[in-house]
Every structure is written in C-alpha cells, then in structure tokens.
Amino acid sequence: EVKVLLSGEGADESLAGYDFDRVVGSLDLSNNRRLRRFFPQSARSTFAGNYRKNPVVMTNQYSSSDKSLALLSGSEFPDSLDHARRALSEVPHLDPLDQILHVYRQDWLVEDLLFRADRMSMANSLEVRTPYLDYRLVSWLAQLPIDRKVGTENDQTVTKRLLRRYAKGRLPDFVSARPKMGFSIPVYEWVDREFIAWTNNSLLAPGGTRVTEILRQDFVENTVRFGVSPTSSLHDRHRLWTLITLEYWLRART
C-alpha cells in the first residue's frame, strides 16, 4: 500500500556527514580560529598537495595502466579517478571542503547511492524522493562556511552541524545527536579461513572461472593474494570483493 518513500540520500554529501570532520582536519584552517583549535597544525596536511592530486572517492578502483594489464584484450580505458578529477576542476572557486563535497555528489552519490536506490525501488514499484537533493537546498548549502557543516558542540567536533541544530528540539536528542551509522555489510572483515576457502573456490577453481574469460589469470591470482593477506589494505579487500561480485554477476547472466 506504500507508493512513495522519502530518503535521506544527499544529506551527507551536502552537509558534510560521514567522517568529514577528519577531512576538515586535513585542510588549511588558518582563517578559522574556532575550528583551528580543534585541529592543530601538526595534524594537518595541505589540500593542494593531497586531494587535488588524488581525489579518492568511494568508487575509486583502477588506473588506466591497471586496467590495461588486467584485461586479456589489453584494451585501454579511462582512469577510475578521471571523473572525480573533472568534477573537482568544475569548482576551483569553492572552499576546499565544498570542492570535496561536490566531487562526492557527482561521483559516489550518482554512481552508487542514487543508482542503487533507484533500481531497487523501481524493481518494487516504489517512488523514492530525495528532499535533501532539492537543487535550491544544495546550492544554498554550498555557499555556507565550513563551520556551519562541521563544527563544535560541547568541545566535541560534529558533522552535519546545521542539520543537528535544526533537529534539536524537533526530534529527541538520541536522534539529533547520534553518530553516523552506515548500512554496510562487514565484507572487508571476512578475511578468515572460511572466507579464503570460498574465495579460492570462486575465483581460482581448477576448472576455470568466468572472470578469467576477460581478465588475465595472473591479475586474478594477485587480486586474491593481496585481498586475503593478513596485512591487506582496505583498498586491496575492496578490489577483491569487486572481483568476486563480477564473477557471480557473470555467472548469473548465463
């Protein structure tokens, strides 16, 4: 009987949710005394020297050379970060934090969150509306100073500060003050004996796998080796999970 749902997508990307308090800690806050005392200079790096050169976002996967080495065809494809770099080049006049938020809205929000929500809702005949993405609200929020988005309350740094202040008194404190809680599954923590056995069976089976029809065998083997290593990085595990997903997607297509 439900036909329309309201979703909170876009609030983090416009109001600096997630862990953007740590992002702010990496920016140059020389002109913002209030935030500067919570993020000492020793804990900060320069924006120009880091994010501008490597605008890492959630959809970051492979460089052009990575893809060329991975594919049996040897074909060349754009760098996974090219889209993020283009988005960053569109807003050189904005505050660094707002530049990052713009990249997230153009990349992670579009390529993952909205894409997934739209397909799942349409598959169930539901209309999902996203009020936080009203273009007038997004434009207005982009013009607000940093400390309206990431600020301090009771000597603690808080994200989505403006939204929390608006919600205070309108919603119970346990709602307005609660920390960010994502809806992720613990795939990157599943590096145990059972997961490794399943991964090997999925991607390194003696009879061959679907991914090896398009990807080089050594690339698949290295992705598994790095992904299940006790010292593997989050990026390595993310690549492994992506490869497993691709394998089962290819199987489902036949």
Side-chain angles (χ1 to χ4, degrees), residues 160 163-164 167-181:
K160 290 193 284 193
L163 183 59
R164 294 182 191 280
K168 190 173 181 62
R170 292 178 170 88
L171 296 173
D173 286 347
F174 75 86
V175 174
S176 62
R178 72 186 298 187
K180 172 69 178 175
M181 297 180 68

Side-chain angles (χ1 to χ4, degrees), residues 118-135:
D118 185 60
R119 296 197 67 168
M120 293 303 100
S121 59
M122 290 294 99
N124 291 279
S125 300
L126 283 171
E127 182 75 22
V128 172
R129 305 287 173 80
T130 51
Y132 286 111
L133 289 174
D134 183 289
Y135 73 95

Side-chain angles (χ1 to χ4, degrees), residues 50-244:
N50 291 282
Y51 194 81
R52 277 200 163 283
K53 294 180 181 178
N54 187 35
V56 175
V57 287
M58 301 291 282
T59 53
N60 170 38
Q61 286 293 303
Y62 299 100
S63 67
S64 295
S65 58
D66 287 336
K67 294 175 183 179
S68 181
L69 292 172
L71 292 162
L72 284 172
S73 65
S75 300
E76 292 189 4
F77 289 91
D79 190 303
S80 293
L81 287 180
D82 282 352
H83 180 66
R85 293 189 181 104
R86 282 194 298 272
L88 190 60
S89 69
E90 295 170 355
V91 288
H93 58 288
L94 294 183
D95 179 277
L97 176 64
D98 287 312
Q99 291 184 40
I100 297 172
L101 293 176
H102 176 77
V103 171
Y104 266 71
R105 286 194 296 271
Q106 298 299 315
D107 189 276
W108 169 239
L109 185 62
V110 175
E111 298 292 333
D112 188 282
L113 298 180
L114 295 178
F115 168 78
R116 185 169 53 187
D118 185 60
R119 296 197 67 168
M120 293 303 100
S121 59
M122 290 294 99
N124 291 279
S125 300
L126 283 171
E127 182 75 22
V128 172
R129 305 287 173 80
T130 51
Y132 286 111
L133 289 174
D134 183 289
Y135 73 95
R136 291 159 296 192
L137 178 61
V138 173
S139 298
W140 179 69
L141 291 172
Q143 299 175 56
L144 295 182
I146 291 179
D147 57 15
R148 296 289 187 90
K149 300 162 189 173
V150 178
T152 59
E153 301 288 343
N154 300 320
D155 286 345
Q156 297 290 324
T157 58
V158 294
T159 56
K160 290 193 284 193
R161 186 184 183 208
L162 184 65
L163 183 59
R164 294 182 191 280
R165 293 185 67 179
Y166 178 80
K168 190 173 181 62
R170 292 178 170 88
L171 296 173
D173 286 347
F174 75 86
V175 174
S176 62
R178 72 186 298 187
K180 172 69 178 175
M181 297 180 68
F183 294 96
S184 58
I185 54 176
V187 293
Y188 305 140
E189 284 74 47
W190 289 346
V191 185
D192 54 24
R193 196 171 294 176
E194 183 178 358
F195 175 82
I196 292 174
W198 174 66
T199 299
N200 289 336
N201 184 60
S202 299
L203 297 175
L204 303 176
T209 53
R210 295 300 308 275
V211 291
T212 53
E213 296 174 10
I214 56 175
L215 300 175
R216 294 170 57 94
Q217 181 69 33
D218 58 341
F219 169 80
V220 175
E221 291 174 355
N222 286 333
T223 300
V224 172
R225 179 162 57 89
F226 289 124
V228 300
S229 169
T231 59
S232 62
S233 66
L234 184 63
H235 193 61
D236 288 332
R237 296 185 187 187
H238 190 67
R239 285 185 167 190
L240 174 58
W241 186 251
T242 300
L243 196 61
I244 292 172

Side-chain angles (χ1 to χ4, degrees), residues 31-60:
N31 294 323
N32 194 316
R33 275 190 249 169
R34 181 186 298 176
L35 289 181
R36 195 170 62 214
R37 61 185 274 258
F38 287 93
F39 298 100
Q41 184 63 42
S42 60
R44 299 204 301 271
S45 56
T46 62
F47 176 74
N50 291 282
Y51 194 81
R52 277 200 163 283
K53 294 180 181 178
N54 187 35
V56 175
V57 287
M58 301 291 282
T59 53
N60 170 38

